[in-house]
Amino acid sequence: MALLHLQLDYERFAGDAELPPDEFALLQKAREATGRAYAPYSQFRVGAAIRLVNGHIIVGANQENASFPAGLCAERVALSAVTSQFPGVAIRAIAISYLPAQGNADHPISPCGICRQTLVEYELLQQQPIRIILGGSTGEIIVVPAAQLLLPFSFTLHDLTGQHSSIDHPHQNG
Ligand code: THU
């Protein structure tokens, strides 16, 4: 038996002023996108903003439904828009923000498991990391440098096609 170890390296910024300008701008777009949420059931508004390598920014917001499981998270709304409108154009980064029903958005939230799975799919396809920028309206900002870091031991397209396993070949940074 071997005891193995996974390490997650990520960045923490104390506030907006510490962020590089392009990442601050993307986070602001995600904050604005919370205004486009359709969230009558949870009242929890999430915004996502994606920067492509060609400079375009695409936003998404969560879209709920009276049939609750039909609802979509902001991240997957934005990702689907990207792959529909800009097929083949790589994603540089996604910023995610939110507004809760009550209280302040004074800390980051992290994407749900289904959205992590979706992010990993597109990251593997494009063969370059997607930076994930997480911030509320105020407070600290967390930047995770690749989607795969948020979903170790993930099931991927490579498993379906019998290629190497992501367990044998965990994401290497850089
Ligand atoms: N939600 C997102 O849009 N993104 C996340 O990462 C977490 C959750 C949405 C789904 C639902 O509309 C509401 O937030 C409450 O779960």
Side-chain angles (χ1 to χ4, degrees):
M1 190 278 276
L3 183 61
L4 305 180
H5 178 73
L6 279 173
Q7 183 174 316
L8 167 59
D9 290 327
Y10 64 98
E11 301 163 14
R12 179 186 174 278
F13 299 85
D16 288 355
E18 278 191 10
L19 275 179
D22 58 331
E23 300 201 338
F24 171 66
L26 198 63
L27 180 56
Q28 287 290 80
K29 291 282 184 197
R31 289 168 172 156
E32 287 167 26
T34 60
R36 312 217 183 144
Y38 171 61
Y41 306 106
S42 72
Q43 305 290 335
F44 191 82
R45 298 166 194 285
V46 185
I50 292 176
R51 185 189 297 280
L52 303 179
V53 293
N54 67 9
H56 277 87
I57 291 177
I58 306 292
V59 300
N62 55 327
Q63 304 297 319
E64 298 185 349
N65 193 283
S67 173
F68 294 173
L72 277 173
C73 293
E75 296 89 328
R76 278 173 293 136
V77 170
L79 285 166
S80 298
V82 164
T83 56
S84 307
Q85 294 174 38
F86 296 93
V89 181
I91 294 168
R92 176 94 62 211
I94 180 170
I96 301 160
S97 193
Y98 69 105
L99 278 181
Q102 287 156 1
N104 298 319
D106 59 3
H107 62 276
I109 60 160
S110 200
C112 81
I114 301 174
C115 291
R116 292 177 197 212
Q117 181 75 26
T118 308
L119 283 160
V120 166
E121 180 92 8
Y122 292 126
E123 184 174 80
L124 283 174
L125 274 180
Q126 70 178 31
Q127 295 187 302
Q128 51 181 295
I130 299 174
R131 285 174 72 77
I132 302 179
I133 302 159
L134 307 172
S137 307
T138 58
E140 70 171 20
I141 295 120
I142 299 293
V143 180
V144 180
Q148 287 181 79
L149 296 170
L150 285 182
L151 196 62
F153 295 93
S154 50
F155 178 77
T156 73
L157 63 158
H158 298 312
D159 298 311
L160 275 183
T161 55
Q163 295 174 38
H164 70 75
S165 144
S166 53
I167 296 174
D168 296 335
H169 299 272
H171 174 81
Q172 299 288 315
N173 218 349

